[in-house]
Amino acid sequence: MRKGSVFILSGPSGSGKDTILKEILERRPDLFFSISSITREKRKGETDGEKYHFISREEFEEGLENNAFLEYNKYLDNYYGTPKAPVETHIAA
């Protein structure tokens, strides 16, 4: 059985990532969007589970100890990371 692939869309804030992602997902509904986990406070208009899962620093650090992230970064004293389990599940499917 053939496994799925991972594509990473990366760029600085304001570079148009959301616009590109919206277009890609409209054209390819078979693709899976990985929702990042972050420790910063939710901003006005943000909904948990839409673009981010807002979790506590303790939850994030526990995930780090358990190797639960594919990648992560610490920026302005907040953690941002890609949870491993949902990505691995979709690659296998």
Side-chain angles (χ1 to χ4, degrees):
M1 179 195 307
R2 185 169 172 245
K3 288 187 176 184
S5 300
V6 173
F7 298 90
I8 299 169
L9 179 60
S10 179
S13 180
S15 63
K17 297 181 299 291
D18 286 340
T19 302
I20 292 168
L21 179 63
K22 182 177 181 260
E23 185 68 26
I24 290 170
L25 293 175
E26 283 178 6
R27 292 179 186 210
R28 291 290 308 271
D30 58 313
L31 296 179
F32 163 72
F33 172 67
S34 173
I35 299 172
S36 298
S37 293
I38 64 174
T39 61
R40 71 163 170 75
E41 291 294 318
K42 212 180 329 179
R43 296 177 184 150
K44 185 178 180 179
E46 289 182 319
T47 302
D48 186 57
E50 189 174 281
K51 284 179 61 178
Y52 303 109
H53 289 295
F54 297 92
I55 65 173
S56 70
R57 174 179 296 278
E58 293 77 21
E59 288 174 290
F60 201 103
E61 289 174 345
E62 182 178 315
L64 290 176
E65 290 175 16
N66 293 314
N67 196 29
F69 294 99
L70 289 173
E71 57 79 33
Y72 77 95
N73 191 20
K74 192 172 184 182
Y75 177 70
L76 297 176
D77 205 35
N78 289 300
Y79 287 110
Y80 297 74
T82 304
K84 187 186 291 187
V87 174
E88 289 180 339
T89 297
H90 282 81
I91 287 173

